[in-house]
Amino acid sequence: MSRDMYRQRILDHYRNPQNYGELEDADVYYMDDNPSCGDEIEMYAVVEDEEVVDVKFDGKGCAISMASASLLTDKVVGMSLDEVREMETEDVQEMLGIDLSPARVKCAVLGLKVLEGGIVEYEAEGA
Ligand code: FES
């Protein structure tokens, strides 16, 4: 995809986020913010056999944070909890497909940070 196509895809996900909302029967729930702007995201996930089978997110933020959370929720269904926890900033940047300034990187990883926080908590509770 060209850079313009990536940009367009980010706008599309921002305007029509995938998996936006709440999951009532979620095993994983977590909320956190981007300390630099105060925007918050909540993540909900249903887990079966250590695998993410459903996921939704809620919250408000800039186009990068919303698009990135939307793309993330599309990507993680079917992944194991370990695989999600091992995702890093580079994976999010690759998903978005554009270069980001350090401030924008914080926006981009917000959804992942929240989901990983929820998984860590879920695993600690089950231990
Ligand atoms: Fe708040 Fe991007 S400006 S998450």
Side-chain angles (χ1 to χ4, degrees), residues 34 37 39 61-62 65 104 107 110:
N34 176 353
C37 64
D39 289 334
C62 61
S65 66
R104 285 314 203 175
C107 302
L110 178 57

Side-chain angles (χ1 to χ4, degrees), residues 10-20 70:
I10 289 169
L11 281 178
D12 289 346
H13 275 266
Y14 174 52
R15 290 182 186 134
N16 293 303
Q18 304 296 297
N19 310 305
Y20 190 83
S70 172

Side-chain angles (χ1 to χ4, degrees), residues 50 52 72 76 79-89 91 112-113 115-124:
E50 300 297 302
V52 177
L72 180 70
V76 297
M79 283 173 70
S80 73
L81 297 181
D82 284 350
E83 285 170 334
V84 178
R85 259 197 302 98
E86 282 162 15
M87 284 183 74
E88 294 182 350
T89 304
D91 299 308
L112 179 62
K113 182 176 88 158
L115 185 56
E116 288 184 344
I119 290 174
V120 167
E121 198 172 79
Y122 169 78
E123 289 184 326

Side-chain angles (χ1 to χ4, degrees), residues 11-71:
L11 281 178
D12 289 346
H13 275 266
Y14 174 52
R15 290 182 186 134
N16 293 303
Q18 304 296 297
N19 310 305
Y20 190 83
E22 299 178 11
L23 278 178
E24 276 183 13
D25 51 351
D27 302 296
V28 170
Y29 168 77
Y30 205 68
M31 176 173 79
D32 207 348
D33 64 3
N34 176 353
S36 35
C37 64
D39 289 334
E40 290 177 340
I41 283 186
E42 293 173 284
M43 279 276 175
Y44 304 80
V46 175
V47 177
E48 267 171 34
D49 297 329
E50 300 297 302
E51 197 178 286
V52 177
V53 294
D54 202 1
V55 62
K56 279 190 191 283
F57 79 101
D58 212 346
K60 267 205 195 115
C62 61
I64 295 288
S65 66
M66 291 293 106
S68 161
S70 172
L71 286 160

